[in-house]
Amino acid sequence: MRSPVLNITRSILGQPWHWRGGAVDGIDADFVPDDLVAQLLLARGCPREAIEEHRSPTIRNFMPDPSIFRDMDAAAVRLADAVEQGEPVTIFGDYDVDGATSAALLIRLLRDLGLRPAAYIPDRLMEGYGPSGEALLKIGESGTKLIVTVDCGAQAFEALALARSAGIEVIVVDHHKCAADLPSAFALVNPNRLDEGEGAAHGHLAAVGVAFLLGAALLRVLRGRGWFATRPEPKLMELLDIVALGTVADVAALRGLNRAFVAQGLKIMAGRRNVGLAALIEASRLDRAPTCTDLGFALGPRINAGGRVGKSDLGVRLLTTEDRDEARIIAAELDRLNEERRAIEKNVQDEAEAAALSQDNRAVAVVAGGGWHPGVIGIVAGRLKEKLGRPAIVIALDKDGIGKGSGRSIGGVDLGAAVLSAKDMGLLVAGGGHAMAAGLTVGPGGVDALADYLDSRLANDVAAARDDRALLLDAVVAPGGVTPSLVEALEVGGPYGAGWPAPRIAAGAVRIVKADVVGQGHVRTIVSGRDGRSIKSIAFRAADTPLGQALLGAGRDRTLWIAGRPKIDDWGSRPAAELHIEDAAWAD
């Protein structure tokens, strides 16, 4: 069994503190890694024999043969035929970051191969998620008989059947959960097909990662046909900046190939070769090379803002333009829309939290409201999930009572599969997703039945996941050890994100020197340790939580251990380190 770190079996947030990964009594006790990075890698599930390739993840070491995926070869051959024949192609993408980056990657690649591919991004409010029959027929009437859907299409049965009857061939590139039956696509490339073989091991890829593999397969087919004997071959690796952005923003697990995508993509992004990304980085007021955190919290939300509260095609236009002036204009518009999105999100979040708190303690929080903007419900669901510690679904009801919902889950609870099951049970008009996120449409008066079904289906999974909850730590240091050099040393084990969590440390014991509330309920503190050193720290959105109340009320007469993520604070004249607090425990 695990031994609690610092003998903390119940923190202020009611959880034990454990070492991450190993440190299980009696297991592998003879092996002691000889450096900090090796410890970080092993604690995140890296095999001993793979430490070096995980230390510096490369595409070469992690890239599978694209042909292992079902329908990949058929899709690549069909696209190669289109390239050779100069055939019109339309890329149909979802309106989120994964959809925008997937579409942009294929558009840029096909453009480099001599085609002039069109983009179609549906309007979130008017058209909803995924391809509709009407949209596909409209594209076909414009002269395009080959459509590639990205980050959508796995559940578009009626739309794809209608397209096929009209002589339109559709290649689906997706990563969302599939049903046992598949829609009638020309090819459906998705590692999460139920009939997938070896490719199922890559089910954690975002759609943009699947699109990258399709791009590699396409180039291989053309290379075999001698297509590049008289013309240059596109440099697919130079599109990894787009792949990294979509992978992180879609919260795909950063293990295996995804780690290589992000690690190498960040290097490409630092060179700012993509004029659209360069403009977005400037609009985000980043004066340094972007980090993995920036992709998720600065660049991704701005791309998303176009689909959420603005024009759905702004992200694709930004990522595919070669005009610097156009890029600056679009980036500025996305920055403005992101601010508008934040204001809308705040209003919906307040109402959703109030609705959730008034319910019984269901396994899944399902809240619905009229007038809620469908463009922010996914973000609000994520906030609600974090606050409640259980899966949450937020549903925006229109004037006819039809609800568009978005859900976010916790580790160990497959929300996408549950939503697909609810659809099969007739409780939903439409629905799908993956383990950690799902989208749905529910008919008038159907919210309560959906909530009852999800509560019954997922109660045991949620209970088990919450019982297993513990704060996992990578190191314990004195306050004076929280330094920029420590942060830099820890970053070497990255990139960090979903499935490859950023290092968390405990510091202390400390006394609270100063504590106050800033911004949107953030608790800012200055703490001092027995080593005489003090550090700045902050607990985000914690003012009305037990953690925030403990920090604000501790005073100087009590000591605590504080735990969280060490970060660089570069607002001052010289960089310093601070701790982003996630939990605390009394030390006296």
Side-chain angles (χ1 to χ4, degrees):
M1 61 180 293
R2 294 178 182 271
S3 299
V5 178
L6 301 170
N7 291 319
I8 295 169
T9 57
R10 185 174 179 82
S11 69
I12 288 171
L13 291 181
Q15 57 191 337
W17 290 6
H18 290 160
W19 292 116
R20 190 187 307 278
V24 179
D25 293 349
I27 298 179
D28 214 19
D30 61 326
F31 178 66
V32 180
D34 59 3
D35 67 79
L36 176 61
V37 175
Q39 294 177 41
L40 294 171
L41 297 177
L42 290 167
R44 282 153 183 77
C46 174
R48 282 197 214 175
E49 63 275 11
I51 287 177
E52 291 311 312
E53 68 180 27
H54 279 77
R55 189 187 298 267
S56 299
T58 64
I59 303 299
R60 179 184 298 274
N61 284 338
F62 288 95
M63 181 86 165
D65 181 344
S67 294
I68 67 173
F69 297 91
R70 289 189 179 274
D71 283 2
M72 179 69 82
D73 289 341
V77 168
R78 182 64 185 88
L79 281 174
D81 292 343
V83 169
E84 289 189 327
Q85 297 164 17
E87 188 177 345
V89 178
T90 294
I91 310 299
F92 187 110
D94 187 25
Y95 37 64
D96 70 358
V97 184
D98 194 18
T101 52
S102 302
L105 183 144
L106 291 181
I107 288 169
R108 293 180 73 94
L109 179 60
L110 293 174
R111 186 191 291 166
D112 288 344
L113 290 169
L115 296 186
R116 299 181 62 184
Y120 189 104
I121 310 295
D123 182 272
R124 180 188 291 264
L125 299 181
M126 302 301 296
E127 298 178 83
Y129 170 78
S132 65
E134 180 182 357
L136 296 182
L137 292 181
K138 178 181 176 181
I139 293 171
E141 290 167 359
S142 72
T144 297
K145 298 303 181 183
L146 178 59
I147 300 172
V148 183
T149 71
V150 289
D151 197 31
C152 57
Q155 295 288 327
F157 292 92
E158 294 181 5
L160 296 191
L162 190 59
R164 170 165 285 193
S165 68
I168 301 170
E169 293 176 316
V170 180
I171 296 171
V172 174
V173 178
D174 205 351
H175 70 132
H176 293 100
K177 295 281 186 180
C178 291
D181 294 326
L182 298 174
S184 55
F186 177 87
L188 196 156
V189 185
N190 184 338
N192 288 307
R193 287 174 55 152
L194 295 182
D195 62 347
E196 189 59 77
E198 190 179 347
H202 299 276
H204 60 291
L205 292 178
V208 70
V210 183
F212 180 89
L213 293 174
L214 174 58
L218 168 60
L219 293 180
R220 183 168 63 184
V221 171
L222 290 171
R223 197 181 303 121
R225 295 180 180 182
W227 181 254
F228 302 118
T230 57
R231 52 181 65 84
E233 180 173 336
K235 297 179 180 178
L236 185 62
M237 297 286 282
E238 292 188 355
L239 298 178
L240 284 173
D241 50 0
I242 294 176
V243 180
L245 176 58
T247 298
V248 173
D250 209 53
V251 202
L254 295 192
R255 52 187 173 85
L257 181 58
N258 279 344
R259 289 195 74 239
F261 280 153
V262 176
Q264 300 305 317
L266 286 171
K267 295 177 183 178
I268 300 294
M269 194 177 296
R272 304 198 182 193
R273 299 173 188 174
N274 183 306
V275 298
L277 271 177
L280 190 65
I281 291 168
E282 182 179 348
S284 302
R285 292 164 283 283
L286 295 175
D287 55 4
R288 50 170 169 71
T291 65
C292 196
T293 299
D294 295 325
L295 303 190
F297 292 95
L299 306 184
R302 286 171 169 80
I303 294 286
N304 253 337
R308 293 187 188 282
V309 297
K311 297 179 181 178
S312 59
D313 67 344
L314 284 176
V316 172
R317 287 172 52 198
L318 178 72
L319 296 173
T320 56
T321 186
E322 299 293 344
D323 185 317
R324 295 185 183 279
D325 290 334
E326 180 185 29
R328 292 191 190 97
I329 292 171
I330 296 175
E333 175 68 359
L334 288 172
D335 187 53
R336 184 190 68 79
L337 290 170
N338 192 48
E339 291 301 317
E340 181 179 332
R341 184 269 305 167
R342 286 177 176 171
I344 295 171
E345 174 194 328
K346 176 65 167 59
N347 292 334
V348 176
Q349 183 176 334
D350 289 345
E351 294 183 20
E353 286 184 1
L357 293 174
S358 68
Q359 296 179 344
D360 293 332
N361 190 28
R362 289 180 176 270
V364 181
V366 180
V367 296
W372 290 356
H373 196 298
V376 302
I377 55 177
I379 301 174
V380 174
R383 301 275 194 222
L384 203 57
K385 178 258 296 187
E386 291 296 333
K387 185 161 189 173
L388 300 176
R390 50 194 167 101
I393 295 176
V394 178
I395 300 171
L397 301 174
D398 66 14
K399 57 183 177 60
D400 297 318
I402 297 174
K404 297 288 186 179
S406 187
R408 298 294 183 269
S409 194
I410 60 176
V413 180
D414 191 337
L415 186 61
V419 167
L420 271 180
S421 176
K423 177 187 173 186
D424 292 340
M425 295 285 291
L427 298 173
L428 294 173
V429 176
H434 46 80
M436 298 301 289
L440 56 87
T441 301
V442 59
V447 173
D448 289 343
L450 172 64
D452 289 341
Y453 175 76
L454 293 176
D455 184 56
S456 173
R457 178 185 171 93
L458 295 177
N460 290 337
D461 290 345
V462 172
R466 297 184 79 179
D467 286 344
D468 289 342
R469 184 183 64 170
L471 192 78
L472 302 181
L473 296 169
D474 293 283
V476 175
V477 301
V482 183
T483 63
S485 61
L486 173 66
V487 178
E488 292 167 5
L490 294 173
E491 284 300 316
V492 177
Y496 299 108
W500 199 267
R504 182 185 290 119
I505 67 170
V510 300
R511 297 183 186 277
I512 305 294
V513 176
K514 179 182 179 182
D516 58 2
V517 178
V518 297
Q520 301 295 322
H522 312 314
V523 178
R524 178 180 59 185
T525 67
I526 296 176
V527 301
S528 177
R530 294 167 185 161
D531 60 357
R533 302 290 295 274
S534 62
I535 57 171
K536 293 192 297 183
S537 58
I538 187 167
F540 292 105
R541 294 181 294 276
D544 60 350
T545 69
L547 173 61
Q549 292 301 305
L551 295 173
L552 291 167
R556 298 195 180 200
D557 59 341
R558 295 203 67 181
T559 58
L560 308 95
W561 291 97
I562 55 175
R565 318 279 188 181
K567 299 289 184 180
I568 295 293
D569 173 18
D570 51 12
W571 285 101
S573 57
R574 61 179 183 175
E578 64 181 15
L579 192 66
H580 292 182
I581 302 177
E582 297 173 311
D583 199 0
W586 298 112
D588 57 10

